[in-house]
Amino acid sequence: MTTIRANCPSCGDVQLTAEDLTVRVCADDERGSYCFRCPDCQRAVAKEASRRIVDLLVSSGVRMQVWRLPAELGESRVGPPLTPDDLLWFEDVAAQVRRSLNR
Ligand SMILES: [Zn+2]
């Protein structure tokens, strides 16, 4: 079982396993984040995660949720549209998730 070290604002570094974390990736703006409940103080902690961190967590067996912004926010979104590269990346991460689920 891979041990993942994360940082709780109250307790500092805490040791987690892949099951303790959830990675969330927004399909609309590609922002990644992860969240976990601190094993020491039970506080729910959420952090921004770069694509590299998301890859790392997912390949360690952390489950990933892809979510979309509510439709009414769609009009005001800024940022470039998804490119084929981004879609490839999603495919790749999704494949990793499938592999880890089949383990
Ligand atoms: Zn804590």
Side-chain angles (χ1 to χ4, degrees):
M1 177 64 70
T2 316
T3 303
I4 297 165
R5 197 156 54 168
N7 190 273
C8 168
S10 316
C11 313
D13 282 353
V14 292
Q15 303 275 335
L16 302 165
T17 62
E19 272 95 65
D20 299 322
L21 289 126
T22 304
V23 169
R24 302 182 79 218
V25 176
C26 179
D28 292 307
D29 64 7
E30 303 173 49
R31 261 194 317 220
S33 62
Y34 63 91
C35 54
F36 63 92
R37 188 168 293 278
C38 173
D40 291 340
C41 69
Q42 302 302 309
R43 170 179 178 158
V45 182
K47 303 249 188 192
E48 297 278 307
S50 68
R51 189 177 279 204
R52 199 178 70 82
I53 301 283
V54 168
D55 278 346
L56 200 71
L57 290 172
V58 170
S59 61
S60 308
V62 177
R63 66 189 165 271
M64 184 180 77
Q65 294 175 341
V66 176
W67 61 286
R68 305 196 72 96
L69 295 172
E72 62 266 29
L73 293 178
E75 328 258 310
S76 63
R77 74 176 268 225
V78 287
L82 285 177
T83 66
D85 272 356
D86 293 319
L87 293 175
L88 277 178
W89 177 76
F90 277 118
E91 288 280 291
D92 187 46
V93 172
Q96 288 183 33
V97 170
R98 278 196 296 274
R99 272 201 300 276
S100 69
L101 291 177
N102 290 336
R103 227 177 0 227

